[in-house]
């Protein structure tokens, strides 16, 4: 019994003597890239938004969001959209950095934002696309790929080419994409 009590006491002392009550929310700074984009085969220009993640122990995130340098890379990234037909590279589409001043005011840096845009070109719904973003200073490279969905065409409920609504506000909506038929019930 005495050995059991002594073992429990030693275990408790060991457990409580190694506790640290400091909780650190922030890790060491790390370059984290955030990329948003939609590709539309019906548009002649497509845009990609590229930001940096930000965090600082001494400044609130609300204040950092107002600083342009906290959000955007200067001229240190190269953005490329590769167009592929199967395993064959068709072409490289280089995106240029553009300042868009149509952004509304809000939490993030204002006026405007930086976007990366394709030159005037049409995308082919039969090809797949690979986005390559390379940080020219660090050498870090981010990649993603996608197929284009195709046009979305309504299937039901149609009457004379228009979507129709029933008086009871309950109906099935069906539409075709370039790849599949999607069903959704609205109530």
């Amino acid at each position: 019994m005495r050995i059991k009590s002594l073992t429990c006491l030693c275990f408790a002392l060991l457990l409580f003597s190694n506790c640290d009550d400091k909780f650190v929310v922030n890790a060491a700074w790390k370059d984290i890239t955030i990329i948003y984009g939609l590709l539309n085969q019906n548009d002649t220009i497509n845009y990609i938004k590229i930001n940096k993640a930000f965090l600082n122990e001494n400044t609130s995130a609300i204040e950092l969001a107002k600083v342009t340098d906290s959000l955007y890379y200067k001229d240190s990234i190269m953005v490329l959209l590769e167009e592929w037909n199967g395993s064959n590279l068709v072409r490289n589409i280089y995106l240029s950095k553009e300042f868009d001043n149509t952004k509304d005011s809000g939490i993030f840096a204002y006026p405007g934002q930086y976007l990366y845009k394709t030159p005037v070109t049409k995308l082919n719904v039969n090809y797949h696309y690979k986005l390559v973003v390379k940080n020219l200073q660090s050498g870090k490279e981010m990649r993603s790929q996608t197929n284009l969905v195709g046009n979305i065409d309504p299937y039901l409920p149609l009457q004379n080419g228009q979507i129709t609504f029933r008086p009871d506000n309950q109906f099935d909506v069906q539409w075709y994409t370039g790849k599949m038929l999607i069903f959704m019930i609205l109530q």
Side-chain angles (χ1 to χ4, degrees):
M1 182 73 168
R2 188 176 181 137
I3 293 175
K4 191 175 186 180
S5 297
L6 187 58
T7 305
C8 288
L9 178 64
C10 290
F11 179 72
L13 286 173
L14 181 65
L15 178 68
F16 291 112
S17 66
N18 288 330
C19 290
D20 185 3
D21 62 353
K22 291 184 181 180
F23 180 71
V24 179
V25 176
N26 297 337
W29 182 86
K30 182 178 175 184
D31 180 29
I32 298 173
T33 306
I34 302 167
I35 303 169
Y36 303 93
L38 294 172
L39 299 178
N40 184 345
Q41 71 277 356
N42 296 319
D43 287 340
T44 56
I45 296 177
N46 284 275
Y47 292 91
I48 303 292
K49 183 173 175 82
I50 302 172
N51 289 82
K52 296 189 288 186
F54 56 89
L55 190 59
N56 185 310
E57 286 187 29
N58 304 322
T59 310
S60 76
I62 297 290
E63 292 302 314
L64 283 173
K66 296 176 183 176
V67 179
T68 303
D69 288 346
S70 296
L71 298 174
Y72 303 109
Y73 291 95
K74 292 190 180 185
D75 293 322
S76 61
I77 60 173
M78 182 271 308
V79 183
L80 166 69
L81 191 61
E82 297 175 343
E83 185 175 64
W84 291 83
N85 183 7
S87 60
N88 298 319
L89 176 64
V90 176
R91 64 180 167 155
N92 288 324
I93 304 168
Y94 289 91
L95 283 73
S96 60
K97 187 176 181 180
E98 178 180 278
F99 185 74
D100 172 30
N101 64 0
T102 60
K103 179 185 168 297
D104 290 334
S105 63
I107 293 174
F108 294 97
Y110 179 78
Q113 63 186 334
Y114 289 99
L115 301 171
Y116 292 82
K117 76 174 202 172
T118 62
V120 176
T121 187
K122 287 289 252 179
L123 302 179
N124 189 324
V125 74
N126 298 313
Y127 294 164
H128 65 276
Y129 292 87
K130 295 181 181 181
L131 179 69
V132 180
V133 178
K134 184 170 184 175
N135 186 321
L136 301 174
Q137 290 178 338
S138 68
K140 179 180 163 183
E141 192 171 287
M142 289 76 49
R143 293 179 163 269
S144 67
Q145 70 179 32
T146 187
N147 294 323
L148 299 178
V149 174
N151 293 326
I152 297 174
D153 297 316
Y155 176 68
L156 285 176
L158 281 181
Q159 187 173 38
N160 298 326
Q162 301 291 318
I163 294 178
T164 56
F165 297 95
R166 291 188 349 206
D168 62 3
N169 291 325
Q170 293 187 13
F171 53 89
D172 291 345
V173 175
Q174 301 173 18
W175 64 90
Y176 287 111
T177 68
K179 308 286 184 223
M180 67 181 99
L181 177 65
I182 298 172
F183 295 90
M184 183 171 82
I185 299 174
L186 299 177
Q187 293 189 24

